[in-house]
Amino acid sequence: MTWNNSLGGEEGSSDEGIVLFTTSCAGNAKVSSDTRRMKYLLRAKGVEYKEVDLSDNPLDRFRMLEQSDCTVTLPQLHVNNRFVGTADDVQEYEDFGGLDDLLFGVDPQIVKDRIDRVVSLRVQGLACGGVERKQAFLHPSSQTVDGTTKEHTD
């Protein structure tokens, strides 16, 4: 598979696999920190990836923008020419257990939907397990008529 940049330049090979778009000319500390964090996470996962430094080859930016629906935030992770996300997105996938699936080529939307369901279930659990759940674990004699609690001594 090949891609052709919109400026009519040379054709380049499409990067199958895991690609991390970065820049060595980061304009702020967050970009540098996010890049280090993503590289560390990928190394910790033991996956091979190709780093594409957009400051070395600005024409790669067109391919990145096309795959990411014009997302300009760096760094960006792509798997099999599919945009996975920026550093914050990737960290969220890792936190909720979806990053491994993404690295093996599962559609990011499928993983995102699964994470959204898990988060929704957790939020529902917190909503119905708040005050009522706490009061359910109190000793019956520690609850007063107005719903407040008093110290229970045995």
Side-chain angles (χ1 to χ4, degrees):
M1 178 182 257
T2 60
W3 64 277
N4 190 358
N5 68 53
S6 61
L7 297 178
E10 296 179 29
E11 284 192 314
S13 65
S14 172
D15 289 313
E16 292 291 328
I18 301 170
V19 178
L20 181 62
F21 287 98
T22 64
T23 182
S24 57
C25 299
N28 61 50
K30 182 170 178 9
V31 173
S32 298
S33 173
D34 286 351
T35 300
R36 282 191 305 276
R37 189 170 46 125
M38 284 184 66
K39 288 178 179 181
Y40 176 80
L41 183 58
L42 292 172
R43 281 194 305 269
K45 292 278 185 192
V47 297
E48 292 183 21
Y49 66 94
K50 177 181 179 184
E51 181 177 356
V52 176
D53 187 339
L54 298 178
S55 61
D56 290 342
N57 188 357
L59 295 178
D60 283 328
R61 181 175 297 275
F62 292 108
R63 180 166 46 105
M64 180 196 77
L65 292 171
E66 180 180 46
Q67 292 175 4
S68 67
D69 198 26
C70 295
T71 301
V72 296
T73 305
L74 290 175
Q76 288 186 19
L77 185 66
H78 294 236
V79 176
N80 296 330
N81 297 314
R82 190 179 289 170
F83 176 63
V84 171
T86 62
D88 293 335
D89 300 325
V90 171
Q91 187 61 55
E92 184 177 328
Y93 288 130
E94 174 64 8
D95 292 346
F96 287 99
L99 184 57
D100 291 338
D101 289 339
L102 292 169
L103 294 175
F104 289 103
V106 175
D107 184 344
Q109 190 58 48
I110 293 172
V111 176
K112 184 175 181 343
D113 290 345
R114 187 178 332 133
I115 289 172
D116 288 345
R117 281 194 305 275
V118 169
V119 170
S120 175
L121 290 173
R122 287 183 182 174
V123 168
Q124 289 174 8
L126 290 174
C128 68
V131 175
E132 297 83 8
R133 174 183 253 173
K134 180 180 177 185
Q135 288 179 348
F137 288 103
L138 293 175
H139 191 280
S141 65
S142 65
Q143 295 185 19
T144 64
V145 175
D146 64 358
T148 59
T149 59
K150 63 180 179 180
E151 196 65 34
H152 176 71
T153 56
D154 282 300

